[in-house]
Amino acid sequence: MSERRPGIADVARAAGVSASTASVVFSGKAPVSQATRGRVLSAAAELGYTGPDPRAASLRRGRSGIVGVLFMEPLRTAFLDPVKTAMMDGLTEGVAALGAGLLLLHDDATGNGDLLTSAPIDAVVVINSSDAIGEALALLRARGVPIVVIEGDAAAGVPRIGLNDREAQRLAAAHLAQLGHRHVVVLALPPRRDRARDWLDADDEIRFDVTRDRLAGARDLFPDAAAFAVEENSIDEGVRAGRALLSSRERPTAVIAQSDLLAAGVIRAAEDAGLRVPEDVSVTGFDGVRVDGLDGYELTTLVQPAFEKGRAAGAAVARMLAGEEAASITFTCTFREGTTTAPVRIPSVG
Amino acid sequence: MSERRPGIADVARAAGVSASTASVVFSGKAPVSQATRGRVLSAAAELGYTGPDPRAASLRRGRSGIVGVLFMEPLRTAFLDPVKTAMMDGLTEGVAALGAGLLLLHDDATGNGDLLTSAPIDAVVVINSSDAIGEALALLRARGVPIVVIEGDAAAGVPRIGLNDREAQRLAAAHLAQLGHRHVVVLALPPRRDRARDWLDADDEIRFDVTRDRLAGARDLFPDAAAFAVEENSIDEGVRAGRALLSSRERPTAVIAQSDLLAAGVIRAAEDAGLRVPEDVSVTGFDGVRVDGLDGYELTTLVQPAFEKGRAAGAAVARMLAGEEAASITFTCTFREGTTTAPVRIPSVG
DNA sequence: AGAGCTTATCGAATCGATTCGATAAACTGA
DNA sequence: TCAGTTTATCGAATCGATTCGATAAGCTCT
């Protein structure tokens, strides 16, 4: 009664061929005559053999066909960000070219830490890494697992897929400057983990590259621009921050938001406060993603190739698995003028 | 020069013990004396051995520690839905209890189809399955891979994690009826894949359980309520649909949206049309998730235990892997009255 | 001191396929 | 017809750990 699943050996025996031949029928790695292929296939059908066991194959091959994606945050918040999901789509496509799939990993809480050691992964892509990831990275390197980082501080020798954040943000700032804006405020992404929503001081430590670089780009044109940092990248956070920014006595004429979600939030906050965008206040975003719930505005923003970034990461993984050296890549954002920026109005008070 | 990674056999040799003992040191499946454990561990450190190869372990164990999550849509759109991400979080936790991780699978496009056959997965959780998934399911069953379905048409014998959609939706409808509403319209989720945004005819085929059951619940109280189906579950779709619904000559006094996102969209559309919620039009949602960008309203909705659903799916997987029978589970939604529903106003026209 | 346990350790079998080199058969061209 | 290729097939080694039954040593209790 013990219904042990048939193995390739059983199929081979039933078909009257060697196991090696049967194997080749399934993998296609060597020529097989039509006749034997037929016999093997029908023997397999007869026995209910559904193809080689991936576990055994991956042991022999030394490859599991699985690439880990390591997040620094719970999935809930990671996937709230359309940029990340677009990246994931790109990554999916990138590793699909390898015949691989994506295993979700996150670097926090529930002893999932050991998935890093116990999961059969061929490589890992780290999303938005911060320094907190140190140990995890070390572990993986010791295991000899190839690593690629998207947007983050990579350890030396780790290929990094990045963005020209600073130059890009500078473009938006220049656009505002050209429209006559002088009083500009930056709405920044979190500078580091678990940092409360508040203004950024000069001595505030900024651990996330993205936040730092975009801020630098804005200050290239507005060196004295104040910056307010949110707690997470979401529309609601943008709304809350927007209320703070727009209600201050010296209301800025323009807000440089470091993401489209934040920009959308600012716009909502402005509407709620009875301000018109862009007549009363100009707003720029960053990312160029479709923001659900911003229907009606065309955001002035920097379009980043999120999908491409993911795909490039996949390609880098492929290269590393092939034993080649994978270089870091810096993608370029393009400036897109929308309807949320306009020339500054002549101040009513001299 | 050939830097072959050391195996447990090498470590054992260096430590002067048998491979079996060394194995046990790492797995902890049998008692080992402090002395030998120490020798093995230091030998491992010396050789740079980072623990057993998961590929080999999974062959021997017959378990890879990986559970597939099968989506019917690209991640981009799947994760737009906060319910799905919450479910994913729950699922993550559920399978973490098993020491397993999640492998992303999606049933579309790029020949990823063969991940289903070639990936070393111990089980699969299908999200929101429709009939389109037939072949995939058959494939998995043939392979003997345990399957659990969340919200969808399961094949016979497949445990299903569901919701009391109909009863729940009926509660919201009853609430509106009690407030005096008589002219109610249902804003429905897509009835099937690739169906254009439009009114639902009586003979429209509804392939998604969720859409069908919630609609039935609404019609239990409003048998003649018209239903308008969107193309995808998003705020923007809600806005578009909302425009259509609210501008019709016979404007309804209440809208029963089948999701919170759609409800949020309707509210936005109402605002844009100069209507007040709930004074001019009442709106109910479904899901009870945090909707980014709906700050200011407390949606009247049905709170579903999305996280719990995910976790239950994980638990069901665990049970099936343990060889037990996993029963289907139907979760219950709770009605939550917010500020988006109010008594119907006396019609100005008799 | 010897029966009965518990604790450590080991050897050998096993998980299920893949792959490489060898061999044989079939075909090519001069 | 014979040397030289292709084309098919096979045997055996290998991937790297886990696990089970056996064995031996160390304890406890009477």
Side-chain angles (χ1 to χ4, degrees):
Chain A
M1 270 289 146
S2 89
E3 296 263 10
R4 202 173 56 80
R5 298 204 141 273
I8 203 169
D10 303 307
V11 173
R13 199 173 313 118
V17 300
S18 75
S20 33
T21 301
S23 171
V24 160
V25 166
F26 289 100
S27 72
K29 299 237 174 194
V32 181
S33 75
Q34 277 305 327
T36 51
R37 128 166 285 114
R39 263 182 307 139
V40 170
L41 254 28
S42 60
E46 192 114 4
L47 295 176
Y49 179 78
T50 46
D53 181 332
R55 282 173 277 260
S58 73
L59 168 58
R60 182 65 241 242
R61 288 217 169 100
R63 288 282 163 77
S64 63
I66 293 182
V67 174
V69 193
L70 180 53
F71 289 94
M72 306 282 86
E73 42 192 342
L75 299 180
R76 184 180 32 254
T77 71
F79 291 148
L80 210 60
D81 182 353
V83 174
K84 294 218 176 75
T85 59
M87 252 172 37
M88 286 293 286
D89 270 334
L91 191 51
T92 302
E93 190 177 304
V95 302
L98 245 159
L102 295 178
L103 181 74
L104 261 25
L105 301 170
H106 57 124
D107 180 51
D108 75 323
T110 48
N112 122 312
D114 49 36
L115 262 187
L116 280 179
T117 10
S118 71
I121 42 182
D122 296 337
V124 166
V125 176
V126 182
I127 309 283
N128 219 359
S129 83
S130 74
D131 47 358
I133 205 189
E135 328 89 58
L137 269 185
L139 204 68
L140 291 168
R141 305 191 90 182
R143 266 183 74 191
V145 177
I147 305 171
V148 173
V149 168
I150 301 185
E151 298 295 3
D153 312 319
V158 174
R160 183 178 181 288
I161 311 293
L163 226 48
N164 64 338
D165 288 293
R166 182 169 186 169
E167 291 75 16
Q169 186 67 86
R170 197 187 292 148
L171 291 178
H175 169 69
L176 290 175
Q178 206 207 323
L179 290 173
H181 291 274
R182 294 295 172 265
H183 186 186
V184 169
V185 167
V186 174
L187 181 48
L189 291 165
R192 54 180 185 274
R193 285 222 262 188
D194 301 324
R195 196 265 195 190
R197 182 187 322 125
D198 196 5
W199 292 96
L200 270 176
D201 290 335
D203 59 346
D204 243 311
E205 192 183 0
I206 303 186
R207 294 224 188 101
F208 288 119
D209 283 6
V210 170
T211 308
R212 185 183 334 111
D213 294 347
R214 293 185 189 171
L215 180 57
R219 291 211 169 128
D220 281 342
L221 277 107
F222 301 104
D224 304 322
F228 185 91
V230 295
E231 280 181 18
E232 73 174 24
N233 183 21
S234 72
I235 298 183
D236 279 343
E237 272 290 290
V239 171
R240 290 189 207 106
R243 282 198 201 111
L245 299 185
L246 300 174
S247 68
S248 67
R249 215 155 27 86
E250 287 274 324
R251 175 158 53 76
T253 65
V255 175
I256 296 180
Q258 287 191 345
S259 83
D260 286 352
L261 291 182
L262 292 179
V266 170
I267 292 174
R268 299 289 306 281
E271 286 177 344
D272 292 350
L275 298 171
R276 288 162 307 158
V277 175
E279 292 82 357
D280 299 318
V281 57
S282 287
V283 178
T284 68
F286 202 117
D287 288 340
V289 295
R290 178 176 82 114
V291 177
D292 195 23
L294 193 66
D295 236 22
Y297 290 96
E298 185 72 37
L299 199 56
T300 294
T301 192
L302 295 145
V303 183
Q304 68 153 298
F307 185 91
E308 283 305 325
K309 265 166 52 184
R311 205 161 54 171
V317 164
R319 237 168 292 127
M320 294 180 84
L321 287 178
E324 302 166 37
E325 200 67 17
S328 291
I329 304 180
T330 301
F331 279 93
T332 305
C333 302
T334 63
F335 177 72
R336 184 176 72 195
E337 180 169 359
T339 61
T340 60
T341 46
V344 69
R345 289 197 303 166
I346 293 97
S348 43
V349 182
Chain B
M1 271 291 144
S2 90
E3 297 262 9
R4 202 173 58 77
R5 296 206 141 277
I8 204 169
D10 304 306
V11 173
R13 200 174 311 118
V17 300
S18 74
S20 34
T21 301
S23 171
V24 161
V25 166
F26 288 101
S27 72
K29 299 237 174 193
V32 181
S33 75
Q34 277 306 325
T36 50
R37 132 168 282 115
R39 263 183 305 139
V40 170
L41 255 30
S42 60
E46 193 117 1
L47 294 176
Y49 179 77
T50 46
D53 182 331
R55 282 173 278 260
S58 74
L59 168 57
R60 181 64 241 242
R61 289 216 169 101
R63 289 282 163 77
S64 63
I66 293 183
V67 175
V69 193
L70 180 52
F71 288 95
M72 307 282 85
E73 43 192 342
L75 300 179
R76 185 180 30 256
T77 70
F79 291 147
L80 208 60
D81 182 354
V83 174
K84 293 217 178 75
T85 59
M87 251 173 36
M88 285 295 285
D89 266 338
L91 190 51
T92 303
E93 189 176 305
V95 302
L98 244 161
L102 296 178
L103 181 74
L104 261 23
L105 300 170
H106 55 126
D107 180 52
D108 74 324
T110 49
N112 121 314
D114 47 37
L115 261 188
L116 282 179
T117 12
S118 71
I121 42 183
D122 296 338
V124 167
V125 176
V126 182
I127 308 283
N128 219 357
S129 81
S130 74
D131 46 357
I133 207 189
E135 327 91 58
L137 269 184
L139 204 68
L140 290 169
R141 305 191 90 181
R143 265 182 76 192
V145 176
I147 305 173
V148 173
V149 169
I150 301 186
E151 297 295 3
D153 311 320
V158 173
R160 182 178 182 286
I161 310 294
L163 225 48
N164 65 336
D165 288 293
R166 182 169 185 168
E167 291 74 17
Q169 186 68 86
R170 195 186 295 148
L171 291 179
H175 168 69
L176 290 174
Q178 207 208 323
L179 290 173
H181 292 275
R182 294 295 174 265
H183 185 187
V184 168
V185 167
V186 174
L187 181 48
L189 291 166
R192 54 180 185 272
R193 285 221 263 191
D194 302 323
R195 195 263 194 188
R197 181 187 321 126
D198 197 6
W199 291 96
L200 269 177
D201 289 336
D203 59 348
D204 243 312
E205 190 184 0
I206 303 186
R207 294 224 188 101
F208 288 118
D209 282 6
V210 171
T211 308
R212 183 182 337 111
D213 294 347
R214 293 185 189 171
L215 180 57
R219 289 207 172 133
D220 281 341
L221 276 107
F222 301 104
D224 304 322
F228 185 92
V230 295
E231 281 181 18
E232 72 173 24
N233 183 20
S234 71
I235 298 182
D236 281 343
E237 273 290 290
V239 172
R240 289 186 208 109
R243 282 198 203 110
L245 300 185
L246 300 175
S247 69
S248 69
R249 215 156 28 87
E250 286 275 324
R251 175 158 54 76
T253 65
V255 176
I256 295 180
Q258 286 190 347
S259 83
D260 286 353
L261 291 182
L262 293 178
V266 170
I267 292 174
R268 299 286 307 280
E271 285 177 345
D272 293 351
L275 298 171
R276 287 163 308 158
V277 175
E279 291 82 357
D280 299 319
V281 57
S282 286
V283 178
T284 68
F286 203 117
D287 289 339
V289 296
R290 179 176 79 114
V291 177
D292 202 19
L294 193 65
D295 239 21
Y297 290 95
E298 185 73 37
L299 198 57
T300 293
T301 191
L302 295 145
V303 183
Q304 69 154 296
F307 184 92
E308 283 305 326
K309 267 166 49 183
R311 204 160 56 169
V317 164
R319 235 168 295 127
M320 295 181 83
L321 288 178
E324 303 166 35
E325 200 69 16
S328 291
I329 304 180
T330 301
F331 279 92
T332 305
C333 302
T334 63
F335 176 72
R336 185 177 71 195
E337 180 170 0
T339 61
T340 60
T341 45
V344 69
R345 289 197 303 167
I346 292 96
S348 41
V349 182

